[in-house]
Coordinates of all heavy atoms in Angstrom, one line a residue:
M177 N 0.8 -1.2 0.0 CA 0.0 0.0 0.0 C 0.9 1.3 0.0 O 0.6 2.2 -0.8 CB -0.9 0.0 1.3 CG -2.0 1.0 1.3 SD -3.1 0.7 -0.1 CE -4.4 1.9 0.4
D178 N 1.9 1.2 0.9 CA 2.8 2.4 1.0 C 3.4 2.7 -0.4 O 3.6 3.9 -0.7 CB 3.9 2.1 2.1 CG 4.7 3.4 2.3 OD1 4.1 4.4 2.6 OD2 5.9 3.3 2.2
E179 N 3.7 1.6 -1.1 CA 4.4 1.8 -2.5 C 3.5 2.7 -3.4 O 4.0 3.5 -4.0 CB 4.5 0.4 -3.1 CG 6.0 0.1 -3.6 CD 6.0 -1.4 -3.9 OE1 5.5 -1.8 -5.0 OE2 6.5 -2.2 -3.0
F180 N 2.2 2.4 -3.3 CA 1.3 3.1 -4.2 C 1.3 4.7 -3.9 O 1.4 5.4 -4.8 CB -0.2 2.7 -4.0 CG -1.2 3.6 -4.6 CD1 -1.2 3.7 -6.0 CD2 -1.9 4.5 -3.9 CE1 -2.1 4.6 -6.6 CE2 -2.8 5.4 -4.5 CZ -2.9 5.5 -5.9
F181 N 1.4 5.0 -2.6 CA 1.4 6.5 -2.3 C 2.7 7.2 -2.7 O 2.8 8.4 -2.7 CB 1.1 6.7 -0.9 CG -0.4 6.4 -0.5 CD1 -0.8 5.3 0.2 CD2 -1.4 7.3 -1.0 CE1 -2.1 5.1 0.4 CE2 -2.7 7.1 -0.8 CZ -3.1 5.9 0.0
H182 N 3.7 6.3 -3.1 CA 5.0 6.9 -3.5 C 5.2 6.7 -5.0 O 6.2 6.9 -5.6 CB 6.2 6.3 -2.8 CG 6.3 6.8 -1.3 ND1 5.4 6.2 -0.3 CD2 7.0 7.7 -0.8 CE1 5.7 6.9 0.8 NE2 6.6 7.8 0.6
S183 N 4.0 6.3 -5.7 CA 4.1 6.1 -7.2 C 3.8 7.4 -7.9 O 3.3 8.3 -7.4 CB 3.1 5.0 -7.5 OG 1.8 5.6 -7.4
I184 N 4.1 7.3 -9.2 CA 3.9 8.5 -10.1 C 2.4 8.7 -10.2 O 1.9 9.9 -10.3 CB 4.5 8.3 -11.5 CG1 4.4 9.6 -12.3 CG2 3.9 7.1 -12.2 CD1 5.2 10.7 -11.8
E185 N 1.6 7.6 -10.1 CA 0.1 7.8 -10.2 C -0.4 8.6 -9.0 O -1.2 9.5 -9.2 CB -0.6 6.4 -10.2 CG -0.5 5.7 -11.5 CD 0.9 5.0 -11.6 OE1 1.6 4.9 -10.6 OE2 1.3 4.6 -12.7
A186 N 0.2 8.3 -7.8 CA -0.2 9.1 -6.6 C 0.2 10.6 -6.7 O -0.6 11.5 -6.4 CB 0.4 8.5 -5.4
A187 N 1.4 10.8 -7.3 CA 1.9 12.2 -7.4 C 1.0 12.9 -8.4 O 0.6 14.1 -8.2 CB 3.3 12.2 -8.0
R188 N 0.6 12.2 -9.5 CA -0.3 12.8 -10.5 C -1.7 13.1 -9.8 O -2.3 14.2 -10.1 CB -0.6 11.9 -11.7 CG 0.6 11.9 -12.7 CD 0.1 11.4 -14.1 NE 1.3 11.2 -14.9 CZ 1.8 10.0 -15.2 NH1 1.1 8.9 -14.9 NH2 2.9 9.8 -16.0
T189 N -2.1 12.2 -9.0 CA -3.4 12.5 -8.3 C -3.4 13.7 -7.4 O -4.3 14.5 -7.4 CB -3.8 11.2 -7.4 OG1 -3.7 10.1 -8.3 CG2 -5.2 11.4 -6.8
I190 N -2.3 13.9 -6.7 CA -2.1 15.1 -5.8 C -2.1 16.3 -6.7 O -2.8 17.3 -6.4 CB -0.7 15.0 -5.0 CG1 -0.8 13.9 -4.0 CG2 -0.4 16.3 -4.4 CD1 0.6 13.7 -3.3
Y191 N -1.4 16.2 -7.8 CA -1.3 17.4 -8.7 C -2.7 17.8 -9.3 O -3.1 18.9 -9.1 CB -0.4 17.2 -9.9 CG -0.2 18.3 -10.8 CD1 0.7 19.4 -10.4 CD2 -0.9 18.5 -11.9 CE1 0.8 20.5 -11.2 CE2 -0.8 19.6 -12.7 CZ 0.1 20.6 -12.4 OH 0.2 21.7 -13.2
V192 N -3.4 16.8 -9.9 CA -4.7 17.1 -10.5 C -5.7 17.6 -9.4 O -6.4 18.6 -9.6 CB -5.3 15.8 -11.2 CG1 -6.7 16.0 -11.6 CG2 -4.4 15.4 -12.4
L193 N -5.7 16.9 -8.2 CA -6.6 17.4 -7.2 C -6.2 18.8 -6.7 O -7.1 19.6 -6.3 CB -6.6 16.4 -6.0 CG -7.3 15.0 -6.3 CD1 -7.2 14.1 -5.2 CD2 -8.8 15.2 -6.7
G194 N -4.9 19.1 -6.7 CA -4.5 20.4 -6.3 C -5.1 21.5 -7.2 O -5.5 22.5 -6.8
I195 N -5.0 21.2 -8.5 CA -5.6 22.1 -9.5 C -7.1 22.2 -9.3 O -7.7 23.3 -9.3 CB -5.3 21.7 -10.9 CG1 -3.7 21.6 -11.1 CG2 -5.9 22.6 -12.0 CD1 -2.9 22.8 -10.8
I196 N -7.8 21.1 -9.1 CA -9.2 21.1 -8.8 C -9.5 21.9 -7.6 O -10.5 22.8 -7.6 CB -9.8 19.7 -8.7 CG1 -9.7 18.9 -10.0 CG2 -11.3 19.7 -8.2 CD1 -10.1 17.5 -10.0
N197 N -8.7 21.8 -6.5 CA -8.9 22.6 -5.3 C -8.8 24.1 -5.6 O -9.6 24.9 -5.2 CB -7.8 22.3 -4.3 CG -7.8 20.9 -3.8 OD1 -8.8 20.2 -4.0 ND2 -6.8 20.5 -3.1
L198 N -7.8 24.4 -6.5 CA -7.7 25.9 -6.8 C -8.9 26.4 -7.6 O -9.4 27.5 -7.2 CB -6.4 26.0 -7.7 CG -5.1 26.1 -7.0 CD1 -4.0 26.2 -8.1 CD2 -5.0 27.3 -6.1
V199 N -9.3 25.7 -8.6 CA -10.4 26.1 -9.4 C -11.7 26.2 -8.6 O -12.4 27.2 -8.6 CB -10.6 25.2 -10.7 CG1 -11.8 25.6 -11.5 CG2 -9.3 25.3 -11.6
A200 N -12.0 25.0 -7.9 CA -13.3 25.0 -7.1 C -13.2 26.0 -6.0 O -14.3 26.7 -5.8 CB -13.4 23.6 -6.6
G201 N -12.1 26.2 -5.4 CA -12.0 27.2 -4.3 C -12.2 28.6 -4.8 O -13.0 29.4 -4.2
T202 N -11.7 28.9 -6.0 CA -11.9 30.2 -6.6 C -13.4 30.4 -7.0 O -14.0 31.5 -6.7 CB -11.1 30.4 -7.9 OG1 -9.7 30.1 -7.6 CG2 -11.2 31.7 -8.5
L203 N -14.0 29.4 -7.6 CA -15.5 29.5 -7.9 C -16.3 29.6 -6.7 O -17.3 30.4 -6.7 CB -15.9 28.2 -8.7 CG -15.4 28.1 -10.1 CD1 -15.8 26.7 -10.7 CD2 -15.9 29.2 -11.0
I204 N -16.0 29.0 -5.6 CA -16.7 29.1 -4.4 C -16.6 30.5 -3.8 O -17.6 31.1 -3.4 CB -16.3 28.1 -3.3 CG1 -16.8 26.7 -3.6 CG2 -16.7 28.5 -1.9 CD1 -16.3 25.6 -2.8
F205 N -15.4 31.0 -3.9 CA -15.2 32.4 -3.4 C -16.1 33.4 -4.2 O -16.8 34.2 -3.6 CB -13.7 32.8 -3.5 CG -13.5 34.3 -3.2 CD1 -13.4 34.7 -1.9 CD2 -13.3 35.2 -4.2 CE1 -13.2 36.0 -1.6 CE2 -13.1 36.5 -3.9 CZ -13.0 37.0 -2.6
F206 N -16.0 33.3 -5.5 CA -16.7 34.3 -6.4 C -18.2 34.1 -6.4 O -19.0 35.0 -6.8 CB -16.1 34.3 -7.8 CG -14.9 35.2 -7.8 CD1 -13.6 34.6 -7.9 CD2 -15.0 36.6 -7.7 CE1 -12.5 35.4 -7.8 CE2 -13.8 37.4 -7.7 CZ -12.6 36.8 -7.8
T207 N -18.7 32.9 -6.0 CA -20.2 32.7 -6.0 C -20.7 32.7 -4.6 O -21.9 32.3 -4.3 CB -20.5 31.3 -6.6 OG1 -19.8 30.3 -5.9 CG2 -20.2 31.3 -8.1
C208 N -19.9 33.2 -3.6 CA -20.4 33.3 -2.3 C -21.4 34.4 -2.2 O -21.2 35.5 -2.8 CB -19.2 33.7 -1.3 SG -19.7 34.0 0.3
R209 N -22.5 34.2 -1.5 CA -23.6 35.2 -1.5 C -23.2 36.5 -0.8 O -23.9 37.4 -0.8 CB -24.9 34.6 -0.9 CG -24.7 34.3 0.6 CD -26.0 33.7 1.1 NE -25.7 33.3 2.5 CZ -26.7 32.8 3.3 NH1 -27.9 32.6 2.8 NH2 -26.4 32.5 4.5
C210 N -22.0 36.5 -0.1 CA -21.6 37.7 0.5 C -21.1 38.7 -0.6 O -21.0 39.9 -0.3 CB -20.4 37.4 1.5 SG -20.9 36.2 2.7
L211 N -20.7 38.1 -1.7 CA -20.0 39.0 -2.7 C -20.9 39.9 -3.6 O -20.5 41.0 -3.9 CB -19.2 38.1 -3.6 CG -17.8 37.8 -3.1 CD1 -17.0 37.0 -4.2 CD2 -17.1 39.1 -2.8
P212 N -22.1 39.4 -4.1 CA -22.8 40.2 -5.0 C -23.0 41.7 -4.6 O -23.0 42.6 -5.4 CB -24.2 39.5 -5.2 CG -23.8 38.1 -5.0 CD -22.8 38.1 -3.9
G213 N -23.0 41.9 -3.3 CA -23.2 43.3 -2.8 C -21.9 44.1 -2.9 O -21.8 45.3 -2.8
S214 N -20.8 43.3 -3.1 CA -19.5 44.0 -3.0 C -19.0 44.5 -4.4 O -19.5 44.1 -5.4 CB -18.4 42.9 -2.6 OG -18.2 42.1 -3.7
K215 N -18.1 45.4 -4.3 CA -17.5 46.0 -5.6 C -16.9 44.9 -6.4 O -17.1 44.9 -7.6 CB -16.4 47.0 -5.2 CG -17.0 48.4 -4.8 CD -15.9 49.5 -5.2 CE -16.4 50.8 -4.5 NZ -16.0 50.8 -3.0
I216 N -16.2 43.9 -5.8 CA -15.5 42.9 -6.5 C -16.5 42.2 -7.5 O -16.2 42.2 -8.7 CB -15.0 41.8 -5.6 CG1 -14.0 42.3 -4.5 CG2 -14.3 40.7 -6.4 CD1 -13.6 41.2 -3.5
A217 N -17.6 41.7 -7.0 CA -18.5 40.9 -7.9 C -19.7 41.7 -8.3 O -20.5 41.1 -9.1 CB -18.9 39.6 -7.2
G218 N -19.8 42.9 -7.8 CA -21.1 43.7 -8.2 C -21.4 43.6 -9.7 O -22.4 43.2 -10.1
R219 N -20.4 43.9 -10.5 CA -20.6 44.0 -11.9 C -20.8 42.6 -12.5 O -21.5 42.4 -13.5 CB -19.4 44.7 -12.6 CG -19.6 46.2 -12.8 CD -18.4 46.9 -13.2 NE -17.6 47.4 -11.9 CZ -16.3 47.3 -11.8 NH1 -15.6 46.9 -12.8 NH2 -15.7 47.7 -10.7
L220 N -20.2 41.6 -11.9 CA -20.3 40.2 -12.4 C -21.8 39.8 -12.4 O -22.2 39.0 -13.3 CB -19.6 39.2 -11.5 CG -18.0 39.1 -11.6 CD1 -17.5 38.2 -10.5 CD2 -17.7 38.6 -13.0
T221 N -22.6 40.3 -11.5 CA -23.9 39.8 -11.4 C -24.7 40.1 -12.6 O -25.8 39.6 -12.8 CB -24.6 40.4 -10.1 OG1 -24.4 41.8 -10.2 CG2 -24.1 39.8 -8.9
N222 N -24.2 41.0 -13.5 CA -25.0 41.3 -14.7 C -24.8 40.3 -15.8 O -25.6 40.2 -16.7 CB -24.5 42.7 -15.3 CG -24.6 43.8 -14.3 OD1 -25.5 43.7 -13.4 ND2 -23.7 44.7 -14.3
H223 N -23.8 39.4 -15.6 CA -23.5 38.4 -16.6 C -24.3 37.1 -16.4 O -24.3 36.6 -15.3 CB -22.0 38.1 -16.7 CG -21.2 39.3 -17.0 ND1 -21.0 39.7 -18.3 CD2 -20.5 40.1 -16.2 CE1 -20.2 40.8 -18.3 NE2 -19.9 41.1 -17.0
S224 N -24.9 36.6 -17.5 CA -25.7 35.4 -17.4 C -24.9 34.2 -16.9 O -25.3 33.3 -16.1 CB -26.4 35.0 -18.7 OG -25.4 34.8 -19.7
L225 N -23.6 34.1 -17.4 CA -22.7 33.0 -16.9 C -22.6 33.0 -15.4 O -22.7 32.0 -14.8 CB -21.4 33.0 -17.6 CG -20.4 32.0 -17.1 CD1 -20.8 30.6 -17.5 CD2 -19.0 32.2 -17.7
Y226 N -22.3 34.2 -14.9 CA -22.2 34.3 -13.4 C -23.4 33.9 -12.7 O -23.4 33.2 -11.7 CB -21.8 35.8 -13.0 CG -21.6 35.9 -11.6 CD1 -20.4 35.5 -10.9 CD2 -22.6 36.4 -10.8 CE1 -20.3 35.6 -9.6 CE2 -22.5 36.5 -9.4 CZ -21.3 36.1 -8.8 OH -21.1 36.2 -7.4
K227 N -24.6 34.3 -13.3 CA -25.9 34.0 -12.6 C -26.1 32.5 -12.6 O -26.5 31.9 -11.6 CB -27.0 34.6 -13.4 CG -27.2 36.1 -13.1 CD -28.3 36.8 -13.9 CE -28.3 38.3 -13.8 NZ -28.8 38.9 -15.0
R228 N -25.6 31.8 -13.7 CA -25.7 30.3 -13.8 C -24.8 29.7 -12.7 O -25.2 28.8 -12.0 CB -25.4 29.8 -15.2 CG -26.6 29.3 -15.9 CD -26.4 28.8 -17.3 NE -26.0 29.9 -18.2 CZ -25.1 29.7 -19.1 NH1 -24.4 28.6 -19.3 NH2 -24.8 30.7 -19.9
L229 N -23.5 30.2 -12.7 CA -22.5 29.7 -11.7 C -23.0 29.9 -10.3 O -22.9 29.0 -9.4 CB -21.2 30.4 -11.9 CG -20.2 29.8 -12.8 CD1 -18.9 30.7 -12.9 CD2 -19.8 28.4 -12.4
F230 N -23.6 31.1 -10.0 CA -24.1 31.4 -8.7 C -25.0 30.4 -8.2 O -25.0 30.0 -7.0 CB -24.7 32.8 -8.7 CG -25.0 33.4 -7.4 CD1 -24.0 34.0 -6.7 CD2 -26.3 33.4 -6.8 CE1 -24.2 34.5 -5.4 CE2 -26.5 34.0 -5.6 CZ -25.4 34.5 -4.9
R231 N -25.9 29.8 -9.1 CA -26.9 28.8 -8.7 C -26.2 27.5 -8.3 O -26.8 26.7 -7.6 CB -27.8 28.5 -9.9 CG -29.0 29.6 -10.1 CD -30.2 29.0 -10.8 NE -29.8 28.5 -12.1 CZ -29.8 29.2 -13.2 NH1 -30.2 30.4 -13.2 NH2 -29.5 28.6 -14.4
Y232 N -25.0 27.3 -8.8 CA -24.3 26.0 -8.5 C -23.4 26.1 -7.3 O -22.7 25.1 -7.0 CB -23.5 25.5 -9.8 CG -24.4 25.1 -10.9 CD1 -24.5 25.9 -12.0 CD2 -25.1 23.9 -10.9 CE1 -25.4 25.5 -13.1 CE2 -25.9 23.5 -11.9 CZ -26.0 24.3 -13.0 OH -26.9 24.0 -14.0
H233 N -23.4 27.2 -6.6 CA -22.5 27.4 -5.5 C -22.5 26.1 -4.5 O -21.5 25.6 -4.2 CB -22.9 28.6 -4.7 CG -22.1 28.9 -3.5 ND1 -20.8 29.4 -3.6 CD2 -22.3 28.6 -2.2 CE1 -20.3 29.5 -2.4 NE2 -21.2 29.0 -1.5
C234 N -23.7 25.7 -4.1 CA -23.7 24.6 -3.1 C -23.2 23.3 -3.7 O -22.6 22.5 -3.0 CB -25.2 24.4 -2.6 SG -25.8 25.9 -1.8
H235 N -23.4 23.1 -5.0 CA -22.8 21.9 -5.7 C -21.3 21.9 -5.8 O -20.7 20.9 -5.7 CB -23.5 21.7 -7.1 CG -25.0 21.6 -7.0 ND1 -25.5 20.5 -6.4 CD2 -26.0 22.4 -7.4 CE1 -26.9 20.6 -6.5 NE2 -27.1 21.7 -7.1
I236 N -20.7 23.2 -5.9 CA -19.3 23.2 -6.1 C -18.6 22.8 -4.8 O -17.6 22.1 -4.8 CB -18.8 24.7 -6.4 CG1 -19.5 25.2 -7.7 CG2 -17.3 24.8 -6.6 CD1 -19.3 26.7 -8.0
W237 N -19.3 23.0 -3.6 CA -18.8 22.5 -2.3 C -18.6 21.0 -2.4 O -17.7 20.5 -1.8 CB -19.7 22.9 -1.2 CG -19.5 24.3 -0.7 CD1 -20.4 25.4 -0.8 CD2 -18.4 24.8 0.1 NE1 -19.9 26.5 -0.2 CE2 -18.7 26.2 0.4 CE3 -17.2 24.2 0.6 CZ2 -17.8 27.0 1.1 CZ3 -16.4 25.0 1.3 CH2 -16.6 26.4 1.5
K238 N -19.6 20.3 -3.1 CA -19.6 18.8 -3.1 C -18.4 18.3 -3.9 O -18.0 17.1 -3.8 CB -20.9 18.3 -3.7 CG -22.1 18.7 -2.9 CD -23.4 18.3 -3.6 CE -24.6 18.9 -2.9 NZ -25.8 18.9 -3.8
V239 N -17.7 19.2 -4.7 CA -16.5 18.8 -5.4 C -15.3 19.2 -4.5 O -14.3 18.5 -4.3 CB -16.4 19.5 -6.8 CG1 -15.1 19.3 -7.5 CG2 -17.6 19.1 -7.6
F240 N -15.4 20.5 -4.0 CA -14.2 21.0 -3.3 C -13.8 20.2 -2.1 O -12.6 19.9 -1.9 CB -14.6 22.5 -2.9 CG -13.5 23.2 -2.2 CD1 -12.3 23.5 -2.9 CD2 -13.6 23.7 -0.9 CE1 -11.3 24.2 -2.3 CE2 -12.6 24.4 -0.3 CZ -11.4 24.6 -0.9
I241 N -14.8 20.0 -1.2 CA -14.4 19.3 0.1 C -13.8 17.9 -0.1 O -12.7 17.6 0.4 CB -15.7 19.2 1.0 CG1 -16.2 20.6 1.4 CG2 -15.4 18.4 2.2 CD1 -15.3 21.4 2.3
P242 N -14.4 17.0 -0.9 CA -13.8 15.7 -1.1 C -12.4 15.8 -1.8 O -11.5 15.1 -1.5 CB -14.8 14.9 -2.0 CG -16.0 15.6 -1.9 CD -15.7 17.1 -1.6
S243 N -12.3 16.8 -2.7 CA -11.0 17.0 -3.5 C -9.9 17.4 -2.5 O -8.8 16.8 -2.6 CB -11.2 18.0 -4.6 OG -10.0 18.3 -5.2
V244 N -10.2 18.4 -1.6 CA -9.2 18.8 -0.6 C -8.9 17.6 0.3 O -7.7 17.3 0.6 CB -9.6 20.0 0.2 CG1 -8.7 20.3 1.3 CG2 -9.8 21.2 -0.7
G245 N -9.9 16.9 0.7 CA -9.7 15.7 1.6 C -8.8 14.6 1.0 O -7.8 14.2 1.6
V246 N -9.1 14.2 -0.2 CA -8.3 13.2 -0.9 C -6.9 13.7 -1.2 O -5.9 13.0 -1.0 CB -9.0 12.6 -2.1 CG1 -8.1 11.6 -2.8 CG2 -10.3 12.1 -1.8
H247 N -6.8 15.0 -1.6 CA -5.5 15.6 -1.9 C -4.6 15.6 -0.7 O -3.5 15.2 -0.7 CB -5.8 17.0 -2.4 CG -4.6 17.9 -2.6 ND1 -3.8 17.9 -3.7 CD2 -4.1 18.9 -1.7 CE1 -2.8 18.8 -3.5 NE2 -3.0 19.4 -2.4
A248 N -5.2 16.0 0.5 CA -4.5 16.1 1.7 C -4.1 14.7 2.2 O -2.9 14.4 2.6 CB -5.3 16.7 2.8
L249 N -5.0 13.7 2.0 CA -4.7 12.3 2.4 C -3.5 11.8 1.7 O -2.5 11.2 2.3 CB -5.9 11.4 2.2 CG -5.7 9.9 2.4 CD1 -5.6 9.7 3.9 CD2 -6.8 9.1 1.8
F250 N -3.5 11.9 0.3 CA -2.4 11.5 -0.5 C -1.1 12.2 -0.1 O -0.1 11.5 0.0 CB -2.7 11.7 -2.0 CG -3.5 10.6 -2.6 CD1 -4.7 10.2 -2.2 CD2 -2.9 9.9 -3.7 CE1 -5.4 9.2 -2.8 CE2 -3.6 8.8 -4.3 CZ -4.9 8.5 -3.9
A251 N -1.2 13.5 0.2 CA 0.0 14.2 0.5 C 0.6 13.8 1.8 O 1.8 13.6 2.0 CB -0.4 15.7 0.6
I252 N -0.3 13.5 2.8 CA 0.2 13.0 4.1 C 0.7 11.6 4.0 O 1.8 11.3 4.6 CB -1.0 13.1 5.2 CG1 -1.3 14.5 5.5 CG2 -0.6 12.3 6.4 CD1 -2.6 14.8 6.2
M253 N 0.1 10.7 3.2 CA 0.6 9.4 3.0 C 2.0 9.4 2.2 O 2.8 8.6 2.4 CB -0.4 8.5 2.1 CG -1.7 8.3 2.8 SD -1.5 7.5 4.4 CE -1.2 5.8 3.9
L254 N 2.2 10.5 1.4 CA 3.4 10.6 0.7 C 4.5 11.1 1.6 O 5.6 10.6 1.6 CB 3.2 11.6 -0.5 CG 4.5 11.9 -1.3 CD1 5.1 10.7 -2.0 CD2 4.1 13.0 -2.4
Y255 N 4.2 12.2 2.3 CA 5.3 12.8 3.1 C 5.2 12.5 4.6 O 6.1 12.9 5.4 CB 5.2 14.3 3.0 CG 5.6 14.8 1.6 CD1 4.7 15.3 0.7 CD2 6.9 14.6 1.2 CE1 5.1 15.8 -0.5 CE2 7.3 15.0 -0.1 CZ 6.4 15.6 -0.9 OH 6.8 16.0 -2.2
G256 N 4.1 11.8 5.0 CA 4.0 11.5 6.5 C 3.4 12.7 7.2 O 3.4 13.8 6.7
W257 N 3.0 12.5 8.4 CA 2.4 13.6 9.2 C 3.5 14.5 9.7 O 4.6 14.0 10.2 CB 1.7 13.0 10.5 CG 0.8 14.0 11.1 CD1 1.1 14.6 12.3 CD2 -0.4 14.5 10.7 NE1 0.1 15.5 12.6 CE2 -0.9 15.4 11.6 CE3 -1.2 14.2 9.6 CZ2 -2.1 16.1 11.5 CZ3 -2.4 14.9 9.4 CH2 -2.8 15.8 10.4
P258 N 3.4 15.8 9.5 CA 4.5 16.7 9.9 C 4.8 16.6 11.4 O 3.9 16.3 12.2 CB 3.9 18.1 9.6 CG 2.5 18.0 9.2 CD 2.2 16.5 9.0
G259 N 6.1 16.8 11.7 CA 6.5 16.8 13.1 C 7.2 15.5 13.5 O 7.6 14.7 12.6
Ligands
HEM356 C1 -7.8 24.6 -0.8 C2 -6.9 23.8 -0.5 C3 -5.7 23.4 -1.3 C4 -5.2 23.8 -2.5 C5 -5.9 24.8 -3.5 C6 -4.0 23.0 -2.8 C7 -3.3 23.1 -4.0 C8 -2.2 22.4 -4.3 C9 -1.5 22.5 -5.6 C10 -1.9 23.3 -6.8 C11 -0.4 21.7 -5.5 C12 0.8 21.5 -6.5 C13 0.6 20.2 -7.2 C14 1.8 19.4 -7.0 O1 2.9 19.9 -6.7 O2 1.7 18.2 -7.2 C15 -0.3 21.2 -4.1 C16 0.6 20.3 -3.6 C17 0.6 19.8 -2.4 N1 -0.4 20.0 -1.4 FE1 -2.1 21.0 -1.6 N2 -3.7 22.2 -1.8 C18 -4.7 22.4 -0.8 C19 -4.8 21.7 0.4 C20 -3.8 20.9 0.9 C21 -3.8 20.3 2.2 C22 -5.0 20.5 3.2 C23 -2.6 19.6 2.4 C24 -2.1 18.8 3.5 C25 -2.7 18.4 4.5 C26 -1.9 19.8 1.1 C27 -0.7 19.2 0.9 C28 0.1 19.3 -0.3 C29 1.4 18.8 -0.5 C30 2.2 18.0 0.5 C31 1.8 19.1 -1.8 C32 3.1 18.7 -2.5 C33 2.9 17.4 -3.3 C34 4.1 17.1 -4.1 O3 5.2 17.4 -3.7 O4 3.9 16.4 -5.1 N3 -2.6 20.6 0.3 N4 -1.5 21.6 -3.4

């Protein structure tokens, strides 16, 4: 089992999930309901794509949380628990 977490496949999994974490984390930030009132996203709310993304906010969490979880698990199995 330990061999698998030191394999190239495991490293690729950490990398791909890391990118998914970044994208999903950014989408969650910009579709947070705290934002539409703010200057940052105020103008975004005029765009139909943003309105569609905004509706998927709760679903993006269902991708983000497991992705960070599995990413972290693989990373800890690769490098061990810090300390
Ligand atoms: C929102 C949360 C996170 C994001 C956006 C994120 C993103 C990334 C990205 C883009 C990489 C580079 C990919 C690579 O070098 O393979 C990476 C690598 C890494 N992440 Fe994360 N990560 C997150 C959470 C975590 C957590 C919670 C842990 C550990 C508990 C973690 C541990 C690591 C480690 C150890 C690496 C280096 C892997 C390697 O050397 O191949 N990350 N992360």
